[in-house]
């Protein structure tokens, strides 16, 4: 069994902003089967649906912030349903919404309400983790706490294998832990020297204030799949065991002197050699 492979378009966000249709076409030509959105760049749902159809790409999912959904759940979820997405993932939790933080309970209840609306549109809600959810609260990882408070019917996982690893867990084993609740898995490779994480780790994904200094940029870097430390064959085997439907390539920042488009091409070319 081989998996259909999508790409998180955040990986090529500058190209998307400059040439939405042209970038979608290039993604298809590389060999990707689907796409996961991170914004629509001013396009209407109808336009995006048509562009995907014209290029033979499946619009599987979208990353949409909690606050954006909360502002108008029916419209936001309805737009992605019109595009054809089957999943919407909350991509990141700001500090006040994380497990143990003041707005965590409100966030859990919000996701529960989003899920009710999403079901009407045939959409499943997901949560996309980073490594901060692997901080323990009363002996339990924050991520596990989140999933314990919501049923699989209300929230499924979108495990990011890079951040699971950085958080201190084996990605393949963690995927298997959520067998039956892991329909979409993020394939992300990286390198990290030393045991200490860079202080400005999230500068790489546009969240931390400031930027990494030169020493930190050498201590951690994202890589195309197959060019870092991740055991991708084991991860794919775990995806199969867990019943995943899609795997999604994501590379937040390019490295190795490559452009974002070159990076995602390297990832799909590598995956073609092991995704059989």
């Amino acid at each position: 069994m081989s998996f259909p492979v999508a790409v998180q378009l955040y990986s090529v966000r500058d190209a998307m902003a400059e040439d939405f249709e042209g970038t979608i076409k290039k993604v298809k030509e590389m060999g990707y089967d689907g796409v996961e959105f991170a914004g629509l760049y001013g396009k209407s749902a109808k336009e995006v649906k048509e562009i995907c159809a014209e290029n033979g790409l499946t619009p599987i999912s979208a990353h949409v912030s909690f606050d954006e959904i909360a502002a108008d759940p029916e419209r936001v979820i309805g737009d992605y349903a019109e595009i054809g997405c089957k999943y919407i993932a909350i991509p990141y939790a700001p500090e006040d919404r994380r497990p143990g933080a003041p707005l965590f309970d409100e966030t859990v209840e919000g996701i529960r309400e989003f899920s009710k609306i999403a079901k009407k549109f045939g959409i499943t809600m997901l949560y996309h983790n980073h490594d901060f959810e692997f901080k323990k609260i009363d002996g339990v990882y924050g991520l596990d706490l989140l999933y314990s408070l919501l049923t699989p019917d209300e929230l499924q996982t979108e495990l990011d294998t890079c951040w699971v690893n950085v958080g201190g867990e084996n990605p393949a084993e963690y995927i298997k832990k959520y067998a039956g609740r892991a329909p979409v898995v993020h394939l992300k490779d990286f390198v990290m020297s030393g045991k200490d994480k860079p202080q400005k780790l999230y500068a790489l994904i546009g969240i931390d204030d400031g930027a990494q200094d030169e020493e930190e940029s050498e201590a951690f870097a994202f890589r195309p799949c197959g060019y870092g430390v991740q055991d991708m064959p084991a991860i794919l085997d775990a995806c199969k065991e867990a019943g995943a439907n899609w795997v999604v390539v994501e590379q937040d920042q390019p490295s190795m002197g490559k452009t974002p488009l070159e990076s995602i091409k390297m990832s799909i070319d590598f995956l073609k050699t092991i995704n059989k």
Side-chain angles (χ1 to χ4, degrees):
M1 170 191 169
S2 63
F3 281 105
V5 183
V7 63
Q8 166 50 259
L9 293 169
Y10 180 77
S11 309
V12 288
R13 53 197 176 276
D14 291 342
M16 288 291 293
E18 183 177 330
D19 183 3
F20 189 107
E21 294 182 54
T23 303
I24 291 290
K25 183 178 181 182
K26 288 176 183 176
V27 165
K28 176 61 178 179
E29 289 171 346
M30 289 178 191
Y32 283 96
D33 303 296
V35 289
E36 181 176 61
F37 295 97
L40 300 179
Y41 302 87
K43 301 283 186 185
S44 69
K46 182 175 182 292
E47 288 175 311
V48 174
K49 179 179 181 178
E50 290 173 352
I51 291 168
C52 287
E54 288 167 3
N55 287 281
L57 281 167
T58 302
I60 67 162
S61 54
H63 278 192
V64 190
S65 73
F66 181 97
D67 290 342
E68 183 180 346
I69 300 171
D72 194 345
E74 293 274 352
R75 181 191 62 77
V76 172
I77 295 171
D79 279 350
Y80 285 103
E82 183 180 348
I83 289 169
C85 294
K86 297 301 181 187
Y87 306 97
I88 290 178
I90 294 172
Y92 178 83
E95 287 191 26
D96 58 357
R97 291 198 178 278
R98 296 176 189 175
L103 296 181
F104 179 61
D105 289 344
E106 175 191 297
T107 302
V108 170
E109 189 54 40
I111 293 171
R112 185 172 285 120
E113 293 304 310
F114 299 161
S115 179
K116 291 176 183 176
I117 296 167
K119 282 180 191 172
K120 295 191 302 183
F121 290 100
I123 284 180
T124 298
M125 293 300 303
L126 310 175
Y127 180 79
H128 168 271
N129 64 280
H130 290 76
D131 67 313
F132 53 74
E133 294 93 346
F134 289 90
K135 178 181 177 181
K136 289 190 174 180
I137 300 168
D138 296 327
V140 177
Y141 284 138
L143 190 61
D144 293 332
L145 176 62
L146 172 67
Y147 290 127
S148 73
L149 294 172
L150 291 156
T151 67
D153 197 44
E154 293 170 327
L155 184 67
Q156 299 269 305
T157 72
E158 183 176 60
L159 294 173
D160 184 299
T161 54
C162 163
W163 296 121
V164 171
N165 194 330
V166 173
E169 289 292 328
N170 179 297
E173 294 304 314
Y174 210 76
I175 291 165
K176 287 187 278 189
K177 176 179 179 177
Y178 281 99
R181 198 175 180 174
V184 183
V185 176
H186 266 206
L187 303 182
K188 185 185 295 181
D189 218 335
F190 70 100
V191 291
M192 184 167 72
S193 61
K195 294 182 179 179
D196 296 328
K197 291 180 286 188
Q199 292 184 351
K200 289 287 187 180
L201 188 60
Y202 291 121
L204 284 166
I205 57 173
I207 293 171
D208 275 338
D209 291 332
Q212 287 189 314
D213 58 29
E214 185 175 346
E215 182 178 343
E216 286 192 328
S217 66
E218 292 178 359
F220 181 96
F222 297 113
R223 290 280 191 264
C225 293
Y227 292 83
V229 301
Q230 297 277 53
D231 186 345
M232 286 295 171
I235 288 171
L236 283 181
D237 285 344
C239 289
K240 292 173 185 176
E241 187 173 327
N245 297 322
W246 282 86
V247 291
V248 179
V249 168
E250 183 179 44
Q251 188 173 340
D252 303 72
Q253 291 285 353
S255 60
M256 302 171 66
K258 304 298 183 181
T259 67
L261 283 164
E262 288 171 338
S263 297
I264 66 167
K265 176 69 163 56
M266 290 169 69
S267 285
I268 191 65
D269 286 349
F270 169 75
L271 290 172
K272 287 174 184 175
T273 69
I274 64 169
N275 182 31
K276 298 176 180 178

